C-alpha cells in the first residue's frame, strides 16, 4: 500500500507539512503519518487539526516551545549518572515547554477545543525543578555562584587568593627581582601562577621551575613565596569541582525520578506539535475541513492539487461514489486528467491523516480501507519490464487486493499495446472492479470505453474542457459528457505540418471520425451555451445589484428626508420655546418697572429698551417659523424669493447654476453667490410686529409693615408668609425689613435663611443684634 501512497505523492505533502513543526519529534511524527481506515479515528484526528487551527489562528495561542532531543539523557539520569549542564538545561526547556503548552491550551474557555485540552491534560510539569535548574545553571558549562552557599564561599576564597597571589607576584615585576625577568608579566603553567625568568638568572629567583620556552631563553618559575598559596588555590579548585559535581548530581537525580513523566511529555508535545504543523500547513494553503463519510462518496468542490502553484492552479470540482461508482474522464492531452485523478486520491489520504485539503466548503471525502493507484510510466529497466508489463502487474495487484471499500485510480488502462486489445483489457478490468463494488476514477482516450460508460449503470462520463477556438485546455472537469482527444488539433497547435495532419485524418476510420466529430461538435455547442448562460447570469446579477443599490439609495434618501423633517421640527420647537421664554422674561421686567410707585426717567428708558427687545424677539420667532423648509433645487428659478441661512438674510434669485450647485442672489443693494443647499423658501411674508401698549397702574397701595412675625407657624406656612411679605416690601421700595421667627429649635430660622440665600432680590441678611431680638430675628437688606 505504501507504494500507492508514494505514487500519489503523499510523502511530499507530509514533508511539506513537517517543515512547520517546532520539534524534531513533531517533524518525525508528521513524516510517519499513515492514513487510517477507521472512520471515527479519522474524524477524531481531523477534529484535533481543526482545534489546532483555532488555537493558533483564532485564539492566538503560541506554538510548542523548542527543546532539543534528549537522546539517552533521561535513561542515564534514572541510572544515577550525573548529567552535564547542557543536558540539564535541555531538561529545563522540556519542563518549560510542557508547562507553557498546558497553560496556553487550558487558559481558553472555548468548548470547541476539548480534544486538545484532553490531550494536554496528561502533561506533567515541575515548575520548581525547572526554576531550580534555571537558577543554578547559567550556561552550557557553567554553574552559578549562587547554586549553593558552599560554592559561593569557595569561589569567593578563590577570588581573594587569586588577588593575593597576583599582588605578591606583581612585586617581582617592579622590585629588585625585575632585572631577572624576561618580561614584566604574570602567566600560568597548568593551574599555577609563574613568572618568566631569564635562563641565566634561574638560580637567582628561588622557586620551582615548571617549564621552559621553545627558544630556551626563558624559564617559568613559581617563587617559593607563592608556592603554598598556589597549593591552597589548587585545593580550593578541587573543592569547587566537587561541589559542582554534587549540585549537578542532585539535579540529575531529580530528573531521573521524573524519567517516565518526562518521556510521556515528549510524546505528547511531539503529537501536539504534529497537529500544529498540520494546522499551519492548512492555513498557508487556505485549506478547509472536509466532511468524512464511510459510504465511498468523494465530492470535491473547487479543489487545487497542493503541489501546484496555488495562485495559478485552476480549481476543479469532482464527484464520484454517490450516484455512480466509477467516473471515466476523457479529453485532450495536457488537459489535467491525471492531475485531477491524483488529486482525488491524495485528498482522501490527506484527510485520513488528519489533514485539511485545499478545496472549498462543502467538500466530502470517504475513508477507504485502501487507495490503489496506477499512474504514469512505470517502466523498470532493472527488472526488465516494459511500460505495458509494469501496468499489467499493477492492474493484477489492484484486481486482487481491491475490495468493496477501496478507491481505485487508473490512468489510461490498456495503454502501451495494440489499441484493440488495450481497450478490451481496460473494459474487462473496469467490469471486474465494478463487480467487486469498488469506487474509482479512470482516465482514457478509448472511444469504446466512453460508449461503455454511456451504456453501463454505475459508470459516468466526464471530460476535461477544451477551447476549440484557441486550441487550449481549460482545466475544468465537466461531468456527464465524454470529451474528444483532440490529438490532431493539439498537433496543429504545436506546429506539426498540416500535410501530415491531413494525411492522418484520411487514415481515421469512418466510425472513429464520426464519433470524434459528434463528440467535438456537442462539446463545442455545450461550451458556447454555457458561455452564453454565464454572460446572461452575469448580466442578471449586475442588474439585480444595480436595482438593489437603487432601492437602498431610495430607502436612505427617504430616511434622511424624514430625519431632516424631524430635526427641523425639533429645532423650530426649541427656537420658539427659547423666544417665548425670552419674551416672558422681558414682559416680567416691564411689569416690574410699571408696578413701581415712583417711575423715574431711567425707568422709562429701560422700559423702551425692553419693548424694542421684545419686538425683535417676536419678529425673530416669526422668521424662524417661516424658514423651516429648504428650497427644491429642481423648482428654483429666477425671481424666486429665498432666505440665505448662512447670511441670515433674504434675497431674490438672479440666476441658477445647477451644474455647480450655486445661485446668484440679490440681497438689498449687494449681489452674492450662495450654495443651493443653503437656501430656504419663506412660507409667509414678514409682518410688522404688533405695537406693544404700555399702561401705568398708579393705584393707591396700603402701607406695609416693616416686620413679619411667623412665630408658632410651620416651616411651609412661614415661608409662604415671608414670600408674600418680601413681595410687598419690594413694591413699596423698602430697603430693610425684619422677620421675627423666635429662637426655639432653630429649624424655622435655618429654613428662612436657606430661602433668603436663593432670593434674587435679597442683597444680604443677618441675625438681630443686642436690642434687636438677637437670634430670634433676621434682618434683611433688599436690592
Amino acid at each position: 500500500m505504501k507504494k500507492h501512497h508514494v505514487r500519489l505523492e503523499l510523502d511530499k505533502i507530509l514533508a511539506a507539512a513537517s517543515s512547520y513543526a517546532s520539534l524534531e519529534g513533531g517533524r518525525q511524527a508528521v513524516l510517519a503519518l499513515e492514513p487510517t481506515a477507521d472512520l471515527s479515528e479519522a474524524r477524531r484526528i481531523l477534529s484535533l487539526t481543526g482545534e489546532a487551527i483555532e488555537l493558533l489562528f483564532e485564539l492566538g495561542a503560541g506554538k510548542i516551545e523548542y527543546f532539543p532531543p534528549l537522546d539517552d539523557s533521561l535513561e542515564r539520569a534514572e541510572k544515577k549518572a550525573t548529567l552535564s549542564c547542557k543536558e540539564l538545561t535541555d531538561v529545563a526547556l522540556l519542563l518549560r515547554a510542557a508547562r507553557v503548552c498546558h497553560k496556553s491550551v487550558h487558559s481558553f474557555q472555548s468548548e470547541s477545543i476539548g480534544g486538545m485540552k484532553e490531550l494536554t491534560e496528561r502533561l506533567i510539569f515541575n515548575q520548581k525543578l525547572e526554576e531550580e535548574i534555571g537558577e543554578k545553571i547559567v550556561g552550557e558549562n557553567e554553574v552559578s555562584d549562587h547554586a549553593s552557599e558552599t560554592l559561593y564561599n569557595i569561589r569567593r576564597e578563590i577570588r581573594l587568593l587569586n588577588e593575593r597571589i597576583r599582588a605578591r607576584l606583581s612585586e617581582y615585576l617592579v622590585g629588585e627581582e625585575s632585572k631577572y625577568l624576561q618580561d614584566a608579566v604574570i602567566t600560568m603553567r597548568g593551574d599555577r601562577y609563574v613568572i618568566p625568568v631569564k635562563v641565566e638568572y634561574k638560580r637567582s629567583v628561588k622557586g620551582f621551575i615548571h617549564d621552559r620556552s621553545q627558544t630556551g631563553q626563558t624559564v617559568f618559575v613559581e617563587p617559593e613565596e607563592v608556592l603554598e598559596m598556589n597549593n591552597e588555590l589548587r585545593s580550593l579548585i578541587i573543592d569547587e569541582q566537587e561541589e559542582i559535581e554534587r549540585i549537578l548530581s542532585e539535579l540529575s537525580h531529580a530528573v531521573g525520578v521524573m524519567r517516565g513523566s518526562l518521556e510521556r511529555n515528549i510524546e505528547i508535545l511531539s503529537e501536539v506539535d504534529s497537529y500544529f504543523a498540520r494546522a499551519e500547513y492548512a492555513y498557508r494553503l487556505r485549506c478547509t475541513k472536509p466532511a468524512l463519510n464511510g459510504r465511498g462518496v468523494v465530492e470535491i468542490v473547487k479543489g487545487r492539487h497542493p503541489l501546484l502553484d496555488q495562485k495559478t492552479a485552476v480549481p476543479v470540482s469532482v464527484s464520484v461514489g454517490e450516484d455512480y461508482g466509477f467516473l471515466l474522464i476523457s479529453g485532450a492531452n495536457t488537459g489535467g486528467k491525471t492531475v485531477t485523478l491524483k488529486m482525488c486520491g491524495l485528498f482522501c489520504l490527506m484527510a485520513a491523516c488528519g489533514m485539511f485539503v485545499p478545496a472549498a466548503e462543502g467538500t466530502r471525502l470517504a475513508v477507504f480501507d485502501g487507495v490503489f493507484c496506477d499512474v504514469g510510466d512505470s517502466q523498470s529497466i532493472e527488472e526488465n519490464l516494459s511500460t505495458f508489463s509494469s501496468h499489467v502487474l499493477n492492474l493484477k495487484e489492484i484486481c486482487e487486493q481491491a475490495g468493496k471499500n477501496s478507491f481505485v485510480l487508473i490512468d489510461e488502462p490498456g495503454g502501451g499495446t495494440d489499441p484493440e486489445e488495450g481497450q478490451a483489457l481496460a473494459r474487462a478490468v473496469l467490469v471486474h472492479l465494478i463487480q467487486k463494488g469498488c469506487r474509482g476514477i479512470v482516465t482514457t482516450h478509448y472511444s469504446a470505453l466512453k460508449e461503455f460508460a454511456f451504456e453501463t449503470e454505475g459508470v459516468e462520463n466526464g471530460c476535461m474542457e477544451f477551447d476549440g477556438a484557441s486550441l487550449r485546455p481549460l482545466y475544468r472537469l465537466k461531468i456527464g459528457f465524454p470529451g474528444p482527444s483532440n490529438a490532431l488539433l493539439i498537433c496543429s497547435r504545436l506546429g506539426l505540418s498540416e500535410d501530415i495532419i491531413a494525411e492522418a485524418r484520411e487514415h481515421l476510420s469512418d466510425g472513429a471520425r464520426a464519433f470524434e466529430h459528434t463528440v467535438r461538435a456537442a462539446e463545442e455547442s455545450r461550451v458556447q451555451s454555457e458561455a452564453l448562460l454565464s454572460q446572461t447570469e452575469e448580466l442578471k446579477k449586475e442588474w439585480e445589484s444595480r436595482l438593489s443599490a437603487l432601492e437602498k439609495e431610495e430607502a436612505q434618501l427617504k430616511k434622511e428626508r424624514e430625519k431632516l423633517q424631524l430635526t427641523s421640527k425639533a429645532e423650530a420647537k426649541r427656537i420658539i420655546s427659547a423666544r417665548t421664554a425670552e419674551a416672558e422674561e422681558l414682559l416680567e421686567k416691564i411689569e416690574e418697572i410699571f408696578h413701581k410707585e415712583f417711575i423715574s426717567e431711567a425707568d422709562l428708558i429701560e422700559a423702551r429698551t425692553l419693548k424694542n427687545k421684545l419686538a425683535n424677539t417676536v419678529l425673530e420667532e416669526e422668521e424662524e417659523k417661516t424658514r423651516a423648509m429648504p428650497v427644491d433645487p429642481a423648482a428654483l428659478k429666477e425671481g424666486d424669493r429665498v432666505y440665505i441661512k448662512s447670511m441670515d438674510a433674504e434675497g431674490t434669485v438672479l440666476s441658477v447654476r445647477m451644474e455647480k450647485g450655486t445661485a446668484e442672489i440679490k440681497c438689498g443693494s449687494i449681489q452674492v453667490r450662495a450654495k443651493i443647499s443653503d437656501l430656504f423658501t419663506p412660507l409667509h411674508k414678514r409682518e410688522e410686529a404688533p405695537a406693544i401698549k404700555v399702561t401705568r397702574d398708579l393705584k393707591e397701595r396700603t402701607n406695609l409693615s416693616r416686620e413679619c412675625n411667623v412665630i408658632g407657624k410651620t416651616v411651609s406656612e412661614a415661608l409662604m408668609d415671608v414670600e408674600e411679605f418680601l413681595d410687598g416690601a419690594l413694591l413699596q421700595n423698602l430697603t430693610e425689613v425684619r422677620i421675627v421667627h423666635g429662637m426655639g429649635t432653630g429649624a424655622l430660622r435655618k429654613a428662612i435663611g436657606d430661602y433668603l440665600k436663593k432670593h434674587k432680590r435679597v442683597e444680604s441678611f443677618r441675625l438681630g443684634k443686642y436690642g434687636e431680638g438677637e437670634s430670634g430675628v433676621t434682618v434683611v437688606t433688599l436690592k
Side-chain angles (χ1 to χ4, degrees):
M1 190 65 67
K2 186 77 173 178
K3 64 182 179 181
H4 296 281
H5 298 169
V6 173
R7 287 173 187 159
L8 291 171
E9 299 175 294
L10 177 64
D11 56 328
K12 295 180 181 178
I13 303 302
L14 296 180
S18 70
S19 66
Y20 296 108
S22 300
L23 308 175
E24 178 60 24
R27 192 180 76 84
Q28 292 300 328
V30 174
L31 291 174
L33 285 173
E34 288 287 343
T36 179
D38 187 330
L39 177 60
S40 61
E41 174 64 12
R43 285 174 174 166
R44 184 188 74 83
I45 59 178
L46 199 61
S47 177
L48 284 171
T49 301
E51 292 181 24
I53 291 175
E54 182 178 352
L55 279 168
L56 289 178
F57 303 107
E58 294 178 24
L59 299 177
K63 296 180 70 175
I64 302 298
E65 291 199 4
Y66 174 78
F67 60 88
L70 295 174
D71 299 326
D72 62 342
S73 300
L74 301 180
E75 182 181 357
R76 289 193 298 106
E78 187 183 37
K79 293 178 179 178
K80 298 187 173 21
T82 301
L83 302 183
S84 67
C85 292
K86 183 182 182 310
E87 289 173 321
L88 287 169
T89 302
D90 292 346
V91 171
L93 291 175
L94 166 59
L95 289 169
R96 174 179 169 79
R99 176 174 58 83
V100 171
C101 177
H102 184 278
K103 183 178 179 180
S104 174
V105 173
H106 288 265
S107 65
F108 300 109
Q109 302 301 318
S110 176
E111 297 179 358
S112 57
I113 56 171
M116 275 295 176
K117 286 185 176 180
E118 183 180 349
L119 179 59
T120 55
E121 186 65 42
R122 296 180 287 129
L123 286 171
I124 303 296
F125 49 90
N126 185 335
Q127 190 169 356
K128 181 180 178 182
L129 177 58
E130 174 196 335
E131 292 175 352
E132 188 176 1
I133 294 174
E135 290 170 358
K136 292 184 176 181
I137 300 176
V138 293
E140 291 190 356
N141 297 296
E142 185 179 356
V143 176
S144 170
D145 290 354
H146 301 280
S148 73
E149 187 177 352
T150 302
L151 182 62
Y152 177 81
N153 291 331
I154 291 172
R155 287 184 171 173
R156 183 171 60 82
E157 289 183 23
I158 288 174
R159 284 194 296 272
L160 292 174
L161 190 54
N162 271 315
E163 291 174 5
R164 285 167 52 202
I165 293 172
R166 295 184 69 87
R168 180 65 191 93
L169 291 177
S170 295
E171 294 176 4
Y172 281 88
L173 305 183
V174 296
E176 293 269 343
E177 296 90 345
S178 62
K179 60 185 177 183
Y180 305 132
L181 303 183
Q182 189 74 269
D183 296 301
V185 296
I186 300 171
T187 185
M188 296 191 78
R189 283 297 180 267
D191 54 359
R192 304 182 76 87
Y193 284 99
V194 295
I195 54 176
V197 178
K198 296 176 182 178
V199 67
E200 60 267 26
Y201 298 119
K202 64 181 178 180
R203 300 191 186 280
S204 299
V205 179
K206 293 182 180 181
F208 183 80
I209 298 175
H210 283 276
D211 197 3
R212 186 170 58 184
S213 66
Q214 291 182 353
T215 60
Q217 299 300 312
T218 305
V219 292
F220 296 94
V221 179
E222 180 184 6
E224 281 183 350
E225 295 183 23
V226 298
L227 184 62
E228 189 57 36
M229 287 190 286
N230 270 334
N231 289 339
E232 186 180 350
L233 179 62
R234 176 60 183 160
S235 176
L236 288 172
I237 290 173
I238 293 172
D239 291 343
E240 179 191 24
Q241 291 302 319
E242 288 178 351
E243 181 61 16
I244 290 173
E245 186 70 18
R246 186 190 67 78
I247 294 168
L248 296 180
S249 179
E250 285 184 358
L251 294 175
S252 300
H253 176 70
V255 171
V257 171
M258 290 189 65
R259 177 193 174 184
S261 299
L262 294 174
E263 288 182 340
R264 185 162 55 253
N265 281 354
I266 293 173
E267 293 175 4
I268 295 171
L269 291 173
S270 295
E271 185 177 359
V272 174
D273 190 38
S274 75
Y275 284 114
F276 282 176
R278 282 174 270 188
E280 188 163 355
Y281 178 81
Y283 180 79
R284 301 289 182 190
L285 269 70
R286 297 176 289 117
C287 298
T288 58
K289 181 182 180 181
L292 300 183
N293 66 84
R295 299 179 290 108
V297 177
V298 175
E299 182 181 5
I300 298 173
V301 181
K302 295 182 179 179
R304 311 176 306 276
H305 196 290
L307 295 180
L308 296 178
D309 185 347
Q310 298 300 294
K311 296 179 181 178
T312 58
V314 179
V316 178
S317 297
V318 187
S319 178
V320 65
E322 192 160 36
D323 298 329
Y324 45 89
F326 266 86
L327 176 65
L328 192 74
I329 302 178
S330 53
N333 288 312
T334 70
K337 298 189 300 297
T338 304
V339 172
T340 301
L341 175 140
K342 293 174 71 174
M343 180 189 71
C344 294
L346 180 59
F347 277 15
C348 291
L349 295 178
M350 288 174 66
C353 288
M355 299 183 71
F356 285 19
V357 296
E361 293 289 342
T363 295
R364 297 186 293 166
L365 299 172
V367 176
F368 294 103
D369 293 339
V371 176
F372 298 89
C373 178
D374 178 40
V375 180
D377 187 354
S378 301
Q379 185 176 19
S380 173
I381 298 174
E382 292 85 356
E383 298 180 13
N384 196 25
L385 295 174
S386 66
T387 299
F388 177 73
S389 301
S390 298
H391 279 304
V392 170
L393 290 177
N394 289 336
L395 292 175
K396 172 179 175 294
E397 180 187 356
I398 292 172
C399 290
E400 290 176 351
Q401 296 183 9
K404 186 175 182 180
N405 192 33
S406 296
F407 196 39
V408 178
L409 307 163
I410 306 176
D411 187 27
E412 298 189 22
T417 188
D418 178 72
E420 261 326 293
E421 293 182 343
Q423 65 184 2
L425 175 62
R427 176 169 177 161
V429 169
L430 193 53
V431 169
H432 177 78
L433 294 174
I434 293 170
Q435 291 174 349
K436 294 189 75 172
C438 300
R439 302 286 196 278
I441 301 176
V442 176
T443 65
T444 188
H445 288 288
Y446 291 142
S447 299
L449 281 185
K450 300 174 191 177
E451 294 174 8
F452 171 75
F454 270 125
E455 301 165 353
T456 308
E457 185 178 353
V459 185
E460 183 62 86
N461 269 306
C463 69
M464 302 305 297
E465 295 186 358
F466 187 84
D467 186 353
S470 63
L471 302 180
R472 293 183 180 279
L474 301 176
Y475 305 107
R476 296 196 300 259
L477 176 64
K478 188 69 178 178
I479 295 176
F481 301 91
S485 296
N486 293 307
L488 297 180
L489 289 176
I490 293 173
C491 290
S492 176
R493 179 172 68 87
L494 294 176
L496 191 62
S497 171
E498 288 298 328
D499 294 339
I500 297 174
I501 293 171
E503 180 70 18
R505 284 199 179 96
E506 290 297 323
H507 290 289
L508 286 174
S509 66
D510 293 339
R513 194 181 306 156
F515 181 81
E516 286 293 316
H517 177 74
T518 302
V519 171
R520 187 179 300 110
E523 174 66 9
E524 289 175 356
S525 298
R526 182 188 64 76
V527 171
Q528 291 175 2
S529 300
E530 288 189 352
L532 290 173
L533 180 62
S534 177
Q535 291 177 6
T536 304
E537 288 294 328
E538 287 179 4
L539 287 173
K540 181 182 177 183
K541 288 180 181 177
E542 181 181 351
W543 282 109
E544 286 177 349
S545 175
R546 289 186 180 183
L547 181 61
S548 176
L550 287 172
E551 289 175 349
K552 287 181 180 178
E553 186 176 351
E554 182 182 7
Q556 183 66 23
L557 288 172
K558 184 178 179 182
K559 189 182 294 183
E560 288 180 359
R561 185 173 66 244
E562 292 175 353
K563 182 179 178 181
L564 181 61
Q565 289 175 349
L566 290 173
T567 304
S568 300
K569 289 179 180 178
E571 181 66 13
K573 286 182 179 179
R574 186 192 66 77
I575 294 172
I576 290 170
S577 297
R579 297 282 188 262
T580 303
E582 187 178 348
E584 288 177 351
E585 185 178 352
L586 292 172
L587 284 171
E588 184 181 347
K589 290 180 179 179
I590 293 172
E591 287 178 359
E592 287 179 1
I593 292 172
F594 287 98
H595 281 156
K596 293 180 179 179
E597 185 176 356
F598 302 103
I599 300 177
S600 63
E601 188 67 26
D603 289 336
L604 290 174
I605 292 172
E606 184 181 356
R608 291 191 194 98
T609 303
L610 291 172
K611 174 198 168 189
N612 293 334
K613 284 186 179 179
L614 181 61
N616 290 335
T617 300
V618 172
L619 285 174
E620 288 173 3
E621 184 176 338
E622 290 300 319
E623 288 172 359
E624 293 297 337
K625 289 180 181 179
T626 62
R627 294 167 186 157
M629 297 298 294
V631 299
D632 182 2
L636 189 65
K637 62 184 184 298
E638 183 180 348
D640 284 351
R641 189 75 177 168
V642 294
Y643 169 68
I644 308 172
K645 186 175 182 180
S646 60
M647 296 178 59
D648 190 24
E650 285 191 10
T652 304
V653 178
L654 298 178
S655 63
V656 180
R657 303 185 68 178
M658 295 299 294
E659 68 277 5
K660 292 190 176 182
T662 60
E664 296 288 337
I665 312 293
K666 184 175 183 181
C667 298
S669 60
I670 63 172
Q671 184 173 322
V672 296
R673 178 178 298 170
K675 292 183 179 179
I676 296 177
S677 59
D678 193 35
L679 303 181
F680 290 78
T681 304
L683 299 176
H684 305 286
K685 294 182 179 179
R686 286 188 181 180
E687 295 180 1
E688 292 297 324
I692 296 177
K693 185 177 182 181
V694 180
T695 61
R696 182 178 180 185
D697 184 6
L698 298 177
K699 65 182 179 180
E700 293 294 328
R701 293 181 175 83
T702 58
N703 288 330
L704 187 72
S705 172
R706 291 177 177 272
E707 184 176 282
C708 176
N709 192 330
V710 292
I711 294 175
K713 296 185 179 183
T714 63
V715 170
S716 59
E717 291 172 344
L719 291 178
M720 289 178 63
D721 288 353
V722 169
E723 182 179 7
E724 185 177 351
F725 171 71
L726 292 177
D727 287 344
L730 288 167
L731 287 173
Q732 290 198 16
N733 292 325
L734 301 180
T735 58
E736 186 175 277
V737 294
R738 297 183 348 130
I739 301 172
V740 182
H741 44 68
M743 297 183 184
T745 61
L748 196 57
R749 181 180 70 245
K750 183 178 183 303
I752 291 172
D754 292 341
Y755 171 75
L756 294 174
K757 287 178 184 177
K758 299 177 182 177
H759 201 293
K760 62 182 180 181
R761 300 304 296 271
V762 173
E763 185 171 330
S764 64
F765 63 91
R766 62 179 173 80
L767 293 177
K769 300 177 183 177
Y770 178 78
E772 291 180 327
E774 299 181 8
S775 61
V777 173
T778 297
V779 179
V780 183
T781 302
L782 301 174
K783 294 180 181 178

